[in-house]
Amino acid sequence: MTPQTILLLCLLSLMAVQPAAAQTGGGPLRERLQDRVQSEIDRKAAQTRTQIEQQLAARPSPAEIAQVRQVQTALTFFTFDAGPVDGIMGQQTRTAIEEYQAYLDYPVTGQLTESEAQFLLVAYQQAQANSAQAQQIADAHPDGIRGFLLIVRDGAPQRPTGVIPSFGIKDVPPGAAAICAEPAATPAAEPSTEQTVRTLFCSAREAAISQSDLLVINAAGFTKTQIEEQCVAFEPALASVVASVSDGSATDAVQGAAEFVARTGQDPVHMSGIARVCLGVGYRRDRYNLAIGSAVLLTALDELTYAEYAGYHVALGLGTAQDPARARSWFELAMQSEPNALSEFESGATDRRETLRGAVIRGGSEGSPSAAPIPSFSVSE
């Protein structure tokens, strides 16, 4: 019964008793009836206000609507039909979520957990950033573009089927942690260029890991494990960037990385933070492609000092072809940065730069037994 109906009934009752009240002088009765009517009106008004407030509170915020739109876009891209991209979590969207969850062996609830949603969006961003690779997978995989999700999740090699692998076991480099754990030269002996470059690499590696850890502490909304898994999932998208380090000049590789960043549509500052974190994750987990790709992205973002990392990998043959001349071009590119830029990730970086200049750029310090700028040693030896 609406407040207007209650008010009408009460007024009719009041009119019915009014003559009797007038005969008996019943003014207080009329006042009591009026108070009861007003009380009922106030109660109904308060109830209506509460209902309206609850309805307003239940409406999604603009941020929530935007997130649902992103989820709908990604689901539809991977052929889970989420319906119109309207930001409304309707039944069709929930059905698409259930299909997505079932495909990846998640609990089928129709509601995405934070990690499930994050993986979906990261996979979508990777597919957009490397559309040619995503199309190749869609053409070759029995599940079409959905197979891209499995490859990102499982880390399967993204190679055309039927191609014989070209790697050899003896050529697989040891992990960076193992390299840096090897005994250093005896104090009495003058370090060779090889030993100097390796020592510099290990120092830079530790600096990258430390910087990554500091940035992760300030990353809100995700655990350290979740952030590392996002970096690992990002690695396949960097394949073309890493390949350019072996196949082209430093300038061409950096230009290609700049184009990659532009295709992602990410803000450069945001991408820089991602690359800094993933650089350290790459070294912590001995994932050379992740480390090299992150370093080249940072170089492409005008943080030239990070070209130093690519130089170490090329000089030592870690995760890429060993090429002394190519390594020197990366080191020279790093030298073009401002002297204080290196202090961003290591307080003693200026000293390392001078050591690097002496051992690599100028071909070794005085008295060094090696005349070549970069040694041609084999890591597998």
Side-chain angles (χ1 to χ4, degrees):
M1 185 177 297
T2 65
Q4 292 83 356
T5 303
I6 295 174
L7 177 60
L8 179 59
L9 291 175
C10 290
L11 290 174
L12 291 173
S13 300
L14 181 61
M15 292 172 62
V17 300
Q18 188 172 4
Q23 294 174 2
T24 60
L29 176 60
R30 180 176 181 179
E31 293 177 357
R32 287 197 298 272
L33 289 173
Q34 289 175 334
D35 290 342
R36 290 182 60 183
V37 170
Q38 187 61 45
S39 177
E40 182 65 18
I41 292 174
D42 292 343
R43 186 183 71 81
K44 287 295 184 180
Q47 186 179 29
T48 301
R49 283 196 300 270
T50 301
Q51 291 175 346
I52 293 174
E53 291 172 355
Q54 291 175 343
Q55 292 174 354
L56 291 175
R59 294 179 60 184
S61 66
E64 291 171 334
I65 292 174
Q67 184 177 24
V68 172
R69 288 173 61 88
Q70 292 176 347
V71 167
Q72 290 171 327
T73 300
L75 285 170
T76 300
F77 175 81
F78 290 114
T79 68
F80 303 104
D81 186 7
V85 181
D86 53 12
I88 299 174
M89 186 60 72
Q91 184 57 50
Q92 191 169 0
T93 300
R94 295 190 185 280
T95 300
I97 289 173
E98 291 175 352
E99 293 177 2
Y100 161 73
Q101 291 172 323
Y103 185 73
L104 292 179
D105 296 324
Y106 295 138
V108 179
T109 63
Q111 295 181 341
L112 291 173
T113 65
E114 182 176 320
S115 60
E116 292 170 356
Q118 185 63 32
F119 176 79
L120 173 65
L121 297 179
V122 167
Y124 173 71
Q125 291 170 0
Q126 289 185 25
Q128 294 299 302
N130 199 338
S131 58
Q133 183 184 50
Q135 186 58 52
Q136 181 183 11
I137 292 171
D139 293 340
H141 200 280
D143 295 339
I145 192 60
R146 291 188 183 186
F148 190 87
L149 292 168
L150 299 180
I151 290 175
V152 173
R153 183 194 67 181
D154 301 333
Q158 300 181 18
R159 296 175 56 90
T161 58
V163 177
I164 298 175
S166 59
F167 64 84
I169 297 300
K170 66 178 183 179
D171 295 327
V172 176
I179 291 175
C180 295
E182 293 183 7
T186 59
E190 182 73 21
S192 66
T193 304
E194 171 188 336
Q195 292 168 332
T196 299
V197 171
R198 180 174 296 191
T199 299
L200 292 171
F201 165 69
C202 294
S203 173
R205 170 182 175 271
E206 290 300 320
I209 293 174
S210 297
Q211 178 185 229
S212 176
D213 289 339
L214 289 174
L215 292 172
V216 167
I217 292 174
N218 296 322
F222 299 98
T223 66
K224 182 177 180 180
T225 300
Q226 290 173 332
I227 289 174
E228 290 196 358
E229 290 303 325
Q230 289 184 41
C231 284
V232 171
F234 182 47
E235 183 178 359
L238 298 173
S240 61
V241 175
V242 176
S244 66
V245 175
S246 295
D247 300 337
S249 67
T251 301
D252 291 341
V254 172
Q255 178 61 35
E259 294 172 356
F260 171 86
V261 173
R263 288 196 302 271
T264 66
Q266 296 289 326
D267 177 75
V269 175
H270 179 62
M271 181 59 76
S272 174
I274 291 174
R276 290 167 190 261
V277 170
C278 291
L279 177 66
V281 172
Y283 285 129
R284 182 183 294 105
R285 294 200 175 190
D286 272 336
R287 304 188 74 99
Y288 288 144
N289 283 356
L290 181 59
I292 295 171
S294 298
V296 178
L297 287 186
L298 286 164
T299 306
L301 291 167
D302 292 330
E303 301 183 54
L304 300 183
T305 182
Y306 287 91
E308 178 183 331
Y309 286 94
Y312 291 132
H313 283 272
V314 177
L316 299 175
L318 300 178
T320 186
Q322 188 178 22
D323 188 328
R326 202 184 305 276
R328 179 167 181 162
S329 68
W330 283 101
F331 288 132
E332 290 175 339
L333 183 60
M335 295 299 172
Q336 296 177 22
S337 63
E338 294 296 327
N340 60 354
L342 289 169
S343 62
E344 293 178 355
F345 59 90
E346 187 185 9
S347 58
T350 301
D351 294 337
R352 191 177 74 245
R353 165 180 280 188
E354 292 306 312
T355 304
L356 179 65
R357 188 186 302 276
V360 179
I361 303 301
R362 293 200 299 263
S365 59
E366 292 183 7
S368 173
S370 175
I374 302 291
S376 58
F377 62 88
S378 173
V379 176
S380 60
E381 294 177 357

